[in-house]
Amino acid sequence: MTITDPIPTEVPQTDWLADEQRYDSGVYHKHQVVMTRAEGATVWDSTGREYIDCVAGYGVANVGHSNPEVVAAIREQAGNLIVMPQTLPNDKRAEFLKELVSVLPAGIDRVFLCNSGAEAVEAAKKFAITATGRTKFVSMKRGFSGRTLGALALTWEPKYREPFGAAVDNEHVSFVTYGNIEELRAAITDDVAAVIMEPVQGEGGVRPGNAEFIREARRLTREKGALLIMDEIQTGFCRTGKFFAIEHFCADACQSADGIRCGCKAAEDCMVVPDGMTLAKAMAGGVPVGAFAMTAAVADKMPAGGHGTTFGGNPLAMAAGVAAIGYMKRENLAQQAAEKGAYFMEKLRAIKSSKIREVRGLGLMIGVELKEKSAPYISALEHDEAVLALQATPLVVRFLPPLTISKEQIDSVVAAFERVLTAEK
Ligand SMILES: *Cc1c(COP(=O)(O)O)cnc(C)c1O
């Protein structure tokens, strides 16, 4: 990558890094850079240095940073209407809901709108409780559901939960090994409201689920009167090579010809379509948004006034979401992610390094598990190669680029990764 000259000294430089570090709460490990601009899969810092971005705002910028269609929609909407509560219907909200339901599996056609992933999980819990009259949940070991107290209770990583002690309600949650049908069967007792899982575990190390386990979860939850909730916050919106990752695990007979959604005529006939899906991250092209999408059977059990949020469904996010989903459909972004992901993983697998244990993933959700800690290599990618990548568990390097990334950029990332793996330390 090119590293352009630093900004000439006569340009007054504000010490943004010092200010951010001084006034931030301190919960983040701040990198020693200040990012100021991005386009597609390219990010620039305040010195003009150009990076290839395989972080994408933690898997948010699927349609590319500052996607022109999203930008135009935000500009136009900002001049019309930014905020309007959900008791007052709005044209963009109606458009967005219809557009979202058009890409969701058949039967998932009622939506609670909110502003983030954790909020979508909080909503999922409340809807599951009211739909079943039960309060227990089954979640997955290595699963991630977010950091608010209710979502945290479903998040497995003990270091996220333990500092908050009894305030995290773990009495109502049991964790089963992801993929272990016996453990799952034992955990789904008559008092379980819902089983929640990611179709591909993201934070837990990029671990794709397996069809047999997911189908069995669907069968068992139906049998026991519990809901199945799929957390598609990271995997949704074309990231894994399908519009939603559960489509990978549906029986072949369920797949529709266009490949965009599960072709089941009714959710009950499908082997994987859940009762609810948590959505967020990429849904509005980078603007904060979240949703819990569910069947009518689930939605109808929640009384009016049973849940709510001020910013949810705000017209600005809705306009961005209409543009983002429209772009995904028209550009067949799922297909792009499938092809580019296969290419990316094939090239990663060709790297000759004894430090690599496994390359795994689905579409452009890719993890490289090393035989040693991944953090030094992620730092080296940023500092020496101007490539931004993410960690997922201590051993895994995670690549979550915008789905618009070019093959040339993928080639550059792989070459850079090979150099940092083979560099003398
Ligand atoms: C990111 C993420 C969340 C939390 O979303 P936030 O918007 O950060 O609250 C929940 N579940 C999964 C699978 C995620 O990847």
Side-chain angles (χ1 to χ4, degrees), residues 27 33 50 93 107 109 114 137 140 146 192 218 224 260-261 266 326 403 416:
V27 300
V33 284
E50 184 179 314
R93 191 182 303 129
D109 58 3
C114 52
F137 290 87
M140 300 296 132
V192 168
R218 177 64 287 185
K224 296 283 188 172
I260 285 182
R261 47 187 275 184
L403 310 182

Side-chain angles (χ1 to χ4, degrees), residues 30-180:
K30 301 271 181 194
H31 297 208
Q32 299 301 299
V33 284
V34 176
M35 299 307 191
T36 51
R37 195 162 69 84
E39 193 185 307
T42 308
V43 171
W44 288 269
D45 71 16
S46 58
T47 71
R49 192 183 190 207
E50 184 179 314
Y51 302 77
I52 302 178
D53 184 14
C54 292
V55 171
Y58 296 164
V60 167
N62 290 15
V63 297
H65 285 284
S66 292
N67 178 294
E69 293 174 31
V70 174
V71 171
I74 293 171
R75 284 216 166 99
E76 190 187 336
Q77 189 60 39
N80 286 342
L81 185 62
I82 293 177
V83 71
M84 190 55 59
Q86 299 197 63
T87 46
L88 294 164
N90 165 255
D91 54 345
K92 281 295 155 189
R93 191 182 303 129
E95 240 182 90
F96 176 79
L97 287 167
K98 196 168 174 190
E99 189 73 342
L100 175 60
V101 167
S102 82
V103 295
L104 286 168
I108 311 274
D109 58 3
R110 298 281 293 278
V111 182
F112 176 81
L113 293 165
C114 52
N115 315 286
S116 69
E119 271 182 76
V121 173
E122 298 285 343
K125 288 182 82 172
K126 287 179 77 170
F127 276 95
I129 291 165
T130 52
T132 60
R134 307 169 179 182
T135 53
K136 291 241 158 102
F137 290 87
V138 175
S139 189
M140 300 296 132
K141 287 182 181 164
R142 292 203 171 108
F144 184 84
S145 296
R147 306 279 214 113
T148 58
L149 285 170
L152 195 54
L154 304 176
T155 292
W156 177 72
E157 178 58 54
K159 77 167 189 255
Y160 292 159
R161 283 184 281 120
E162 280 167 2
F164 307 99
V168 183
D169 176 18
N170 279 134
E171 263 175 47
H172 289 86
V173 181
S174 55
F175 291 100
V176 305
T177 305
Y178 190 51
N180 186 316

Side-chain angles (χ1 to χ4, degrees), residues 161-417:
R161 283 184 281 120
E162 280 167 2
F164 307 99
V168 183
D169 176 18
N170 279 134
E171 263 175 47
H172 289 86
V173 181
S174 55
F175 291 100
V176 305
T177 305
Y178 190 51
N180 186 316
I181 291 173
E182 290 314 307
E183 281 184 40
L184 181 69
R185 187 173 294 131
I188 308 179
T189 46
D190 290 338
D191 51 359
V192 168
V195 174
I196 184 163
M197 70 174 82
E198 300 152 85
V200 182
Q201 292 189 324
E203 306 303 304
V206 189
R207 295 168 201 280
N210 76 72
E212 201 195 340
F213 180 73
I214 293 172
R215 291 174 192 173
E216 191 60 13
R218 177 64 287 185
R219 203 188 62 72
L220 284 168
T221 45
R222 267 187 200 131
E223 184 182 297
K224 296 283 188 172
L227 306 187
L228 177 64
I229 295 168
M230 281 290 172
D231 185 339
E232 290 255 18
I233 291 169
Q234 192 167 141
T235 52
F237 300 99
C238 308
R239 169 62 57 193
T240 70
K242 302 264 188 197
F243 224 102
F244 295 99
I246 52 159
E247 295 166 39
H248 288 286
F249 306 105
C250 200
D252 291 341
C254 282
Q255 296 283 356
S256 62
D258 62 9
I260 285 182
R261 47 187 275 184
C262 175
C264 293
K265 292 287 173 287
E268 306 91 71
D269 296 335
C270 180
M271 298 171 82
V272 295
V273 163
D275 301 288
M277 291 161 79
T278 50
L279 307 169
K281 292 201 163 98
M283 188 161 67
V287 174
V289 74
F292 178 56
M294 66 201 114
T295 61
V298 174
D300 287 342
K301 293 276 173 49
M302 178 70 89
H307 195 36
T309 158
T310 299
F311 284 122
N314 71 82
L316 194 68
M318 297 295 95
V322 169
I325 295 176
Y327 181 90
M328 291 171 195
K329 282 163 85 169
R330 205 191 57 241
E331 300 295 321
N332 204 349
L333 209 58
Q335 185 63 29
Q336 285 194 45
E339 285 166 15
K340 292 172 190 175
Y343 178 76
F344 201 153
M345 279 193 272
E346 184 191 309
K347 297 211 75 174
L348 286 167
R349 289 192 176 112
I351 293 179
K352 286 183 188 64
S353 167
S354 57
K355 290 171 184 162
I356 295 179
R357 176 170 288 146
E358 190 185 20
V359 176
R360 57 177 180 252
L362 262 182
L364 280 171
M365 184 169 178
I366 298 171
V368 181
E369 183 165 329
L370 303 180
K371 292 176 189 162
E372 53 192 278
K373 293 230 156 43
S374 60
Y377 298 101
I378 295 168
S379 291
L381 275 174
E382 179 184 325
H383 295 121
D384 306 339
E385 301 286 350
V387 167
L388 303 174
L390 261 176
Q391 201 176 29
T393 76
L395 300 180
V396 177
V397 181
R398 181 169 36 150
F399 296 100
L400 291 179
L403 310 182
T404 59
I405 191 171
S406 68
K407 285 204 167 158
E408 293 69 35
Q409 286 174 311
I410 293 171
D411 291 343
S412 300
V413 170
V414 174
F417 191 45

